[in-house]
């Protein structure tokens, strides 16, 4: 009913029949304009826009008391008249060409330029830092929110790589809307949604005034024309939107040769043909709206049934979560008792360890501090467990809302599970390597401590030898003094004593050299001891890192347990999704059976196209629709869609193409 009311509104706005409310002000003016552009025939049908009889313009003399006309109203009237002229010339010239127009067709190009000027009329300027910009792409992009069918056009325009400016995108959008035969519908939505268009247009713009509805009605007549554009090859950024008025100026001498009867018959014939095409287009719109409404009703019924099933499942899940909450509370009490027992045992161990640490090295005090840290961590873990219990109780309420979102996240969770498993394997390998390194470090520590003990023993021995040498030196000095005194007393034995003195001096030199060598060895041993001490400090740092890695390993174990729980829940969801996939497969099997019942028409039985009713020839060949089995020409069956009977996209007719698109969109919703 809503679609019929909208269509009747289009007919009243375009045909000029007028309603009870159109009695005052601007509505009278619109009705008079519409009657002047369409006219009414004897049978009551509205004449087409371009072939109604117009009265001769009356020459009026402006009076002094007349108020001045609004320049914006004059601009709107001029633009509306230009649209009428361009549509009229486009439809008249399409009769000669064959109603399938290419991009090089001059009237079609002029019509697109006029439409670009119409869309630019009254645009609000968007101020930036450098300048102010006016572009039409803003309101055309907003059509996507109002008309879901316009998303395909907008996405295709955004994906074009050669278009970089907003005017180029607007020109490509106009051509795609002409190919889709939905330009009138899109303009109508722009005119009706004035609250949305108020962000882009001024109040005096053509689309914001009452002339917008007249424009939407005029564009309905263009649905009888088929347009063929190649958008990917054209450069829309550098085109100039200049209207060529020369093609609308006709020579009056061309009409003198025709007889009035022949001209009237030709005009009546073209009027009847256009009226027929207009009525067929209205019927097509009504049928499309009826099918859309039926599909929406079926989708709503399906959604209602699925929502009821989901509600029952959610209630069951709530009961399960309550049971799990009770179990978690019992586990919490048990964990608290275990932790208290552990705390008592740890305190006893700490007291015993204190006595041993006080008797042992000073370095064991650090271990005592670490034990205290472990006690604090365990108490913190107990508090964290209590907080996690509170969070799980709050998460029980959030799970009801998350049930709906889990179905969408199944595929993402599977990828996350694979990544987590890989991370777990890597962490296990890292832990094994670190354990091996720790064992090797402990072995090297033992070896180095043994080396330190040996070096200390050597140092003690060297110190004792140095003391002996010093005692020898003192004795030698004493002997030297005695020898000097003996030399004074015994001058006769001077020669003998000199020889002995030389021998003693050589011995002293040898002993001094040996002493210097021993001092150098002692310095080297001290350097080795310092290096070993630095290595001991490094090993202590490695030990601390190993302890931190053990803590991280325990945390990873906890995360692994949580992930395993989520994996179990995801497995339950996957089983539900598999059941849904089996239901969809059964539906596809039913559809295959329905398609098998369709009849494949024979080539010999058909001579004309089923849709356009054109006769087949050598240039216009026959093509089967793989969905309904009918025979069509290439223009009526140039679409390809995937079917259940074939893996690749196959040829289908225009009617089957629209039906399949609606069906697939309903399935996706």
């Amino acid at each position: 009913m809503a679609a019929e009311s909208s269509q009747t509104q289009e007919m009243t706005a375009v045909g000029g029949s007028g309603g009870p409310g159109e009695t005052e002000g601007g509505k009278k003016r619109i009705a008079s304009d519409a009657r002047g552009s369409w006219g009414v025939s004897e049978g009551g049908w509205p004449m087409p826009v371009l072939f109604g009889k117009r009265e001769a313009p009356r020459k009026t003399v402006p009076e002094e008391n007349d108020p001045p006309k609004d320049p914006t109203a004059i601009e709107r009237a001029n633009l509306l008249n230009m649209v009428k002229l361009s549509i009229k010339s486009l439809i008249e010239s399409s009769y000669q060409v064959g109603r399938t127009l290419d991009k090089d067709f001059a009237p079609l190009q002029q019509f697109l330029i006029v439409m670009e000027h119409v869309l630019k009329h009254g645009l609000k300027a968007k101020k930036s830092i450098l300048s102010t910009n006016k572009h039409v792409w803003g309101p055309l992009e907003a059509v996507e929110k109002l008309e879901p069918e316009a998303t395909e056009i907008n996405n295709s325009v955004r994906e074009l790589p050669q278009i970089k400016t907003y005017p180029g995108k607007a020109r490509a959008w106009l051509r795609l809307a002409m190919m889709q035969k939905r330009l009138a519908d899109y303009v109508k939505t722009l005119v009706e949604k004035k609250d949305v268009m108020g962000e882009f247009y001024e109040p005096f713009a053509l689309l914001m005034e009452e002339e917008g509805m007249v424009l939407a009605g005029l564009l309905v007549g263009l649905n009888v024309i088929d347009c063929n554009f190649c958008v990917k090859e054209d450069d829309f950024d550098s085109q100039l939107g200049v209207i060529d008025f020369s093609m609308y100026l006709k020579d009056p001498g061309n009409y003198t040769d025709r007889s009035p009867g022949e001209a009237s018959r030709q005009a009546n014939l073209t009027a009847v043909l256009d009226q027929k095409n207009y009525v067929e287009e209205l019927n097509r719109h009504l049928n499309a709206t009826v099918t859309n409404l039926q599909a929406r009703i079926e989708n709503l019924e399906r959604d209602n049934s699925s929502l009821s099933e989901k509600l029952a499942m959610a209630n069951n899940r709530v009961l399960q979560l309550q049971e799990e909450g009770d179990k978690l509370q019992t586990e919490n009490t048990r964990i608290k008792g275990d932790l208290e027992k552990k705390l008592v045992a740890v305190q006893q161990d700490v007291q015993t360890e204190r006595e041993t640490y006080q008797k042992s090295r000073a370095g064991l005090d650090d271990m005592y501090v670490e034990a205290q840290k472990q006690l604090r961590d365990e108490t913190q873990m107990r508090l964290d467990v209590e907080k996690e219990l509170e969070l799980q109780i709050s998460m029980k309420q959030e799970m009801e809302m998350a049930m709906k979102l889990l179905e969408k996240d199944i595929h993402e969770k599977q990828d996350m599970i694979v990544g987590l498993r890989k991370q777990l394997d890597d962490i296990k390998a890292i832990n094994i390597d670190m354990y091996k390194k720790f064992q090797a470090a402990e072995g090297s520590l033992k070896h180095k401590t043994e080396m330190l003990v040996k070096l200390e023993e050597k140092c003690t021995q060297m110190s004792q030898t140095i003391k002996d040498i010093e005692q020898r030196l003192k004795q030698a000095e004493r002997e030297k003094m005695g020898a000097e005194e003996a030399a004074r007393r015994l001058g006769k034995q001077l020669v003998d004593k000199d020889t002995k003195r030389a021998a003693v001096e050589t011995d002293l030199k040898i002993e001094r050299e040996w002493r210097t060598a021993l001092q150098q060895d002692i310095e080297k041993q001290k350097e080795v001891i310092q290096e070993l001490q630095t290595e001991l400090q490094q090993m202590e740092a490695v030990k601390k890192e190993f302890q931190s890695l053990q803590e991280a390993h325990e945390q990873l174990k906890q995360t692994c347990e949580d992930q395993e729980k989520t994996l179990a829940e995801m497995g339950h969801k996957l089983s539900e999704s598999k059941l849904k996939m089996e239901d969809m497969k059964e539906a596809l099997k039913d559809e295959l059976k329905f398609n098998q019942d369709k009849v494949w028409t024979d080539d010999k039985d058909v001579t004309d196209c089923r849709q356009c009713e054109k006769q087949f020839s050598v240039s216009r060949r026959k093509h089967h629709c793989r969905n309904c089995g009918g025979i069509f020409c290439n223009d009526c069956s140039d679409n390809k869609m995937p079917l259940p009977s074939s893996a690749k996209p196959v040829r289908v007719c225009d009617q089957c193409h629209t039906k399949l698109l609606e069906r697939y969109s309903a399935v996706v919703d």
Side-chain angles (χ1 to χ4, degrees):
M1 293 296 290
E4 290 179 358
S5 63
S6 63
Q7 295 294 333
T8 53
Q9 287 176 3
E10 287 182 4
M11 291 177 67
T12 54
V14 176
S17 59
E22 297 178 357
T23 56
E24 294 179 2
K27 295 182 180 179
K28 286 184 178 180
R29 181 168 52 80
I30 293 171
S32 63
D33 291 339
R35 290 191 187 95
S37 60
W38 281 77
V40 180
S41 62
E42 294 178 356
W45 287 95
M47 295 287 286
V49 180
L50 307 174
F51 300 100
K53 295 180 180 179
R54 296 184 181 177
E55 296 179 357
R58 297 177 181 177
K59 296 181 180 179
T60 57
V61 180
E63 297 180 359
E64 295 180 356
N65 296 325
D66 291 339
K69 293 184 178 180
D70 188 6
T72 58
I74 296 170
E75 289 179 0
R76 291 197 299 271
N78 291 332
L79 282 174
L80 191 62
N81 291 326
M82 283 304 303
V83 171
K84 291 178 182 178
L85 285 173
S86 61
I87 292 172
K88 180 179 179 181
S89 63
L90 181 60
I91 294 175
E92 285 180 351
S93 57
S94 66
Y95 291 146
Q96 300 175 0
V97 178
R99 297 195 183 186
T100 301
L101 307 178
D102 295 330
K103 63 178 181 178
D104 297 330
F105 194 61
L108 181 58
Q109 292 180 354
Q110 290 299 313
F111 167 72
L112 294 171
I113 292 169
V114 172
M115 281 302 299
E116 187 177 351
H117 283 281
V118 169
L119 293 173
K120 286 182 179 178
H121 185 262
L123 269 174
K124 289 183 179 179
K126 292 185 177 180
K127 295 182 180 180
S128 61
I129 298 171
L130 298 176
S131 63
T132 57
N133 294 322
K134 290 184 179 180
H135 57 81
V136 197
W137 179 242
L140 296 181
E141 195 173 11
V143 179
E144 183 179 1
K145 300 177 182 178
L146 305 174
E147 285 286 337
E149 295 180 358
T151 55
E152 183 180 358
I153 296 176
N154 289 333
N155 291 329
S156 59
V157 170
R158 293 189 193 100
E159 292 174 357
L160 291 173
Q162 75 275 12
I163 300 175
K164 298 180 180 178
T165 61
Y166 291 116
K169 291 181 179 180
R171 295 182 186 113
W173 187 90
L174 284 172
R175 283 157 176 79
L176 292 173
M178 286 289 292
M179 292 173 68
Q180 200 181 11
K181 294 185 179 180
R182 294 299 305 276
L183 183 60
D185 298 334
Y186 297 152
V187 173
K188 184 181 176 184
T189 54
L190 288 174
V191 173
E192 289 177 350
K193 302 293 182 180
K194 292 184 180 180
D195 53 350
V196 179
M197 292 298 108
E199 299 177 1
F200 304 101
Y201 288 100
E202 300 289 344
F204 59 85
L206 191 144
L207 295 176
M208 298 294 288
E209 293 291 336
E210 296 175 350
E211 286 88 346
M213 291 302 295
V214 180
L215 175 65
L218 292 171
L219 294 174
V220 174
L222 295 176
N223 292 332
V224 299
I225 299 173
D226 295 329
C227 299
N228 187 11
F229 295 104
C230 186
V231 184
K232 293 183 179 179
E233 297 179 357
D234 294 335
D235 185 11
F236 297 109
D237 295 334
S238 61
Q239 290 183 0
L240 297 175
V242 180
I243 302 172
D244 187 8
F245 293 96
S246 62
M247 61 187 301
Y248 303 118
L249 301 174
K250 295 183 178 179
D251 187 7
N254 294 330
Y255 297 97
T256 56
D257 297 334
R258 295 183 181 178
S259 61
E262 185 179 357
S264 63
R265 284 195 299 272
Q266 186 69 24
N268 290 327
L269 180 61
T270 54
V272 168
L273 288 172
D274 287 330
Q275 192 64 47
K276 178 186 174 185
N277 292 325
Y278 179 68
V279 171
E280 289 177 353
E281 188 65 26
L282 288 177
N283 289 327
R284 186 176 69 80
H285 279 291
L286 290 172
N287 291 326
T289 52
V290 168
T291 53
N292 288 326
L293 288 172
Q294 289 177 355
R296 287 178 184 174
I297 289 166
E298 292 176 356
N299 290 326
L300 288 172
E301 290 176 353
R302 291 174 184 171
D303 293 335
N304 190 7
S305 61
S306 64
L307 286 172
S308 61
E309 291 176 357
K310 288 179 181 178
L311 195 142
M313 292 170 66
N315 290 326
N316 294 326
R317 184 63 180 169
V318 168
L319 295 173
Q320 291 177 1
L321 287 171
Q322 288 177 356
E323 293 176 356
E324 289 177 357
D326 297 333
K327 291 179 181 179
L328 287 171
Q329 287 179 357
T330 56
E331 288 180 358
N332 186 12
T333 55
R334 183 176 60 79
I335 289 166
K336 283 182 179 178
D338 295 334
L339 286 172
E340 288 176 355
K341 291 178 182 178
K342 287 180 180 178
L343 283 171
V344 172
V346 168
Q347 287 176 359
Q348 293 176 358
D349 294 335
V350 167
Q351 289 177 0
T352 54
E353 285 177 359
R354 276 180 187 173
E355 295 175 357
T356 56
Y357 287 160
Q358 288 174 359
K359 294 177 182 178
S360 63
R361 296 178 184 177
L364 294 174
D365 293 333
D366 297 332
M367 297 293 290
Y368 175 70
V369 174
E370 291 177 359
Q372 285 183 347
K373 288 181 181 179
Q374 288 180 358
L375 280 172
R376 291 174 185 173
D377 293 335
E378 286 178 357
T379 54
Q380 188 66 32
M381 285 173 67
R382 183 170 63 82
L383 294 173
D384 293 335
V385 168
E386 292 177 356
K387 289 180 181 178
E388 285 180 358
L389 284 171
E390 293 176 356
L391 288 172
Q392 286 177 359
I393 292 166
S394 62
M395 284 174 68
K396 181 178 74 175
Q397 297 176 356
E398 294 178 356
M399 284 295 290
E400 296 177 358
M401 296 298 293
M403 288 291 291
K404 296 179 182 179
L405 299 173
L406 281 173
E407 294 179 357
K408 296 180 182 178
D409 296 337
I410 287 170
H411 298 291
E412 296 178 358
K413 293 290 184 183
Q414 289 177 353
D415 297 333
M416 289 288 289
I417 288 161
V418 174
L420 287 170
R421 286 177 180 172
K422 290 180 180 178
Q423 289 179 3
L424 284 172
D425 295 332
D426 295 334
I427 289 163
K428 288 178 181 178
I430 290 165
N431 287 329
I432 291 165
D433 294 334
M434 291 301 294
Y435 183 71
K436 291 179 179 178
K437 288 180 180 179
F438 182 70
Q439 288 180 350
E442 285 182 351
S444 62
L445 260 175
K446 291 178 181 178
H447 181 68
K448 287 178 180 179
T449 51
E450 291 175 356
M451 291 291 290
L452 277 172
V453 172
K454 292 179 181 179
L455 288 170
E456 287 176 355
E457 291 177 355
K458 288 182 180 180
C459 288
T460 53
Q461 290 176 1
M462 294 296 289
S463 61
Q464 289 177 0
T465 53
I466 288 166
K467 288 178 181 179
D468 295 335
I469 290 166
E470 287 177 353
Q471 290 176 0
R472 288 179 184 177
L473 284 170
K474 288 178 181 179
Q475 290 176 1
E477 287 177 355
R478 289 173 184 173
E479 289 176 357
K480 183 180 178 183
M481 294 296 290
E484 287 178 354
E485 290 176 357
R488 289 174 183 173
R489 293 174 182 175
L490 299 171
K492 294 179 180 179
Q493 297 178 356
L494 185 61
V495 177
D496 295 332
K497 295 293 181 181
D498 287 333
T499 56
K500 289 180 181 179
R501 185 175 60 80
V504 170
E505 285 178 355
T506 53
D507 293 333
L508 283 170
K509 287 180 181 179
I510 292 166
E511 286 178 357
R512 285 175 181 175
E513 289 176 357
W514 187 30
R515 184 178 178 181
T516 54
L518 286 172
Q519 287 179 355
Q520 289 177 359
D521 292 334
I522 288 165
E523 289 177 356
K524 289 180 181 179
Q525 292 297 328
K526 286 181 180 179
E527 290 177 356
V528 172
I529 289 166
Q530 289 178 358
E531 290 177 357
L532 290 171
Q533 287 177 355
T534 54
E535 288 180 357
L536 280 171
Q537 292 177 358
Q538 290 177 359
M539 293 306 295
E540 289 177 355
V542 169
K543 190 176 180 181
K544 291 179 181 179
E545 289 179 358
F546 180 72
Q547 290 176 356
S548 63
L549 286 171
Q550 283 182 346
E551 293 175 357
H553 182 65
E554 290 177 357
Q555 292 178 359
L556 288 171
K557 280 184 179 179
Q558 291 179 359
T559 54
C560 288
E561 290 175 357
D562 296 334
Q563 291 297 328
E564 286 177 356
K565 290 179 181 179
T566 55
L567 280 171
E569 292 177 357
M570 293 304 294
H572 182 66
K573 296 297 177 183
L574 283 171
S575 62
E576 291 179 356
S577 63
K578 285 180 181 178
L579 292 173
K580 290 181 181 180
M581 288 296 292
E582 289 176 358
D583 295 334
M584 291 177 72
K585 286 180 181 178
E586 289 177 0
L588 287 171
K589 287 179 181 179
D590 295 334
E591 189 175 356
L592 285 170
K593 289 180 181 179
F594 177 73
N595 289 327
Q596 288 176 358
D597 295 333
K598 294 179 180 179
V599 180
W600 184 270
T601 56
D602 193 5
D603 293 336
K604 297 179 181 179
D605 298 335
V606 179
T607 58
D608 298 330
C609 179
R610 183 184 289 183
Q611 185 173 351
C612 63
E613 297 181 356
K614 293 181 180 180
Q615 190 175 4
F616 293 110
S617 62
V618 177
S619 61
R620 188 178 288 107
R621 302 185 65 184
K622 299 177 182 179
H623 297 280
H624 277 88
C625 177
R626 268 55 176 182
N627 188 30
C628 63
I631 295 176
F632 300 86
C633 62
N634 188 20
D635 295 332
C636 298
S637 63
D638 58 348
N639 303 307
K640 288 187 177 182
M641 290 288 291
L643 297 176
S645 59
S646 63
K648 296 180 180 179
V650 294
R651 183 185 290 271
V652 292
C653 62
D654 294 339
Q655 296 177 356
C656 294
H657 184 256
T658 55
K659 290 179 181 178
L660 290 170
L661 283 175
E662 291 173 357
R663 188 179 299 169
Y664 290 158
S665 63
V667 169
V668 170
D669 293 335

